[in-house]
Amino acid sequence: MTMQEAKLYVIPGSHPSRSAMLMLDRKGIPFKRVDLMPVISKGVVRAQGFPGVTVPALKLNGRKIQGSREIARELDHIQPEPALYPADPEKRGKVEEAEAWGDEFQQKPRRMSWWAFKRDRSPMVSYSEGARLGVPVGLAVKTGAPIVAIAARLNGSTDENVRADLAALGEDLDRIDGWIAAGVIGGPEPNAADFQLAPSIRLLMSFDDLRPFIDARPCGEMAKRIVTDFPGRTPPIFPAEWLEGLRT
Ligand SMILES: N[C@@H](CCC(=O)N[C@@H](CS)C(=O)NCC(=O)O)C(=O)O
């Protein structure tokens, strides 16, 4: 079967979008990346005929596949090697469990990012490195206050939620380190859960406030190995007392 060129709709700096890009690269499937502006992306993706409003959204061989987990399964289906899921059902179950947890976990770095951008939009430019949005990134960021306000609201980026996310982060990272210790992720052949989790960790590490607590952990090492480059940097922004839980 001859493959048509794949088209992947993404938002610059979006962590699950990076998961999809990494998995396409892993399979050696060439694709055209279409960068979309957050919030505006919802309408574009719907207009392209996808059932939902989120990125990553992939057009491949006439099919429309939306969601990082769905994309992982479809890629293994159309091209089994290198496999994104283990053949052994028990091992596969564990990878799927870590992957599903990672899909939920995505919301925490997403919520933190919009919380931070609402306070200071200037770091947003760094997250759009290499993106082609159709307008200069600097201008998009300068005029982006309404988009940031909507995204922060839609993602529940309240002080209360972000504070709770930060308080639980140490435990979340311990859980990921536990999966590495158990050999579920972090092995020599990255699987769908590695690709799901690593970009979320890299997005967390883009915060100067958080990087020191993650860098030397097994999950920090794993994330740097799987995602060799991840754009963006946010200077210290969280109140010191919100980071207490990470210090202990
Ligand atoms: N968990 C899903 C959802 C992904 C998701 O929520 N993507 C965000 C970007 S990180 C999005 O499209 N948001 C719409 C917006 O920002 O307007 C996945 O892994 O594909």
Side-chain angles (χ1 to χ4, degrees):
M1 183 175 69
T2 51
M3 268 198 217
Q4 291 164 6
E5 192 191 30
K7 208 184 238 189
L8 183 70
Y9 295 85
V10 306
I11 292 174
S14 150
H15 41 327
S17 298
R18 178 55 79 90
S19 300
M21 289 188 242
L22 288 167
M23 292 189 287
L24 282 158
D25 286 344
R26 172 82 174 149
K27 294 285 188 183
I29 300 175
F31 63 97
K32 182 175 185 283
R33 163 181 159 175
V34 182
D35 289 304
L36 303 174
M37 206 107 75
V39 180
I40 313 288
S41 58
K42 294 178 194 290
V44 177
V45 164
R46 277 312 276 269
Q48 290 300 323
F50 288 94
V53 295
T54 56
V55 298
L58 176 68
K59 282 191 191 167
L60 182 60
N61 289 335
R63 294 206 52 209
K64 297 188 176 101
I65 311 118
Q66 195 165 30
S68 52
R69 284 199 284 163
E70 290 76 5
I71 290 170
R73 278 160 187 73
E74 179 69 11
L75 293 182
D76 251 18
H77 179 67
I78 61 158
Q79 190 184 300
E81 297 297 332
L84 292 169
Y85 298 92
D88 174 75
E90 202 184 317
K91 286 191 182 143
R92 181 177 178 124
K94 288 189 174 146
V95 167
E96 286 185 327
E97 188 193 325
E99 185 199 26
W101 184 90
D103 196 346
E104 299 277 316
F105 181 64
Q106 272 178 23
Q107 189 59 15
K108 296 190 179 183
R110 182 181 293 122
R111 203 148 49 200
M112 288 176 200
S113 300
W114 289 117
W115 183 93
F117 295 153
K118 213 174 142 183
R119 267 138 204 91
D120 180 8
R121 286 200 307 286
S122 52
M124 283 181 85
V125 175
S126 66
Y127 289 83
S128 301
E129 212 179 82
R132 279 183 293 179
L133 287 167
V135 286
V137 170
L139 181 68
V141 169
K142 223 173 175 172
T143 56
I147 283 183
V148 173
I150 294 170
R153 185 167 49 75
L154 292 178
N155 284 297
S157 299
T158 61
D159 286 5
E160 195 187 1
N161 286 341
V162 170
R163 187 174 191 161
D165 289 344
L166 287 168
L169 189 57
E171 242 173 70
D172 292 334
L173 298 172
D174 286 346
R175 182 189 289 259
I176 302 171
D177 284 345
W179 278 320
I180 294 173
V184 177
I185 55 171
E189 303 293 332
N191 60 43
D194 287 282
F195 289 124
Q196 175 64 239
L197 288 161
S200 284
I201 300 166
R202 288 299 299 239
L203 180 52
L204 290 169
M205 290 168 79
S206 74
F207 285 85
D208 284 359
D209 278 328
L210 304 181
R211 190 176 175 114
F213 301 109
I214 307 175
D215 224 6
R217 277 180 174 260
C219 65
E221 298 293 338
M222 178 278 264
K224 284 182 280 184
R225 187 164 52 81
I226 304 277
V227 193
T228 48
D229 59 323
F230 193 87
R233 183 163 176 200
T234 296
I237 192 144
F238 299 120
E241 64 271 24
W242 293 13
L243 301 168
E244 280 307 316
L246 284 163
R247 288 208 181 83
T248 48

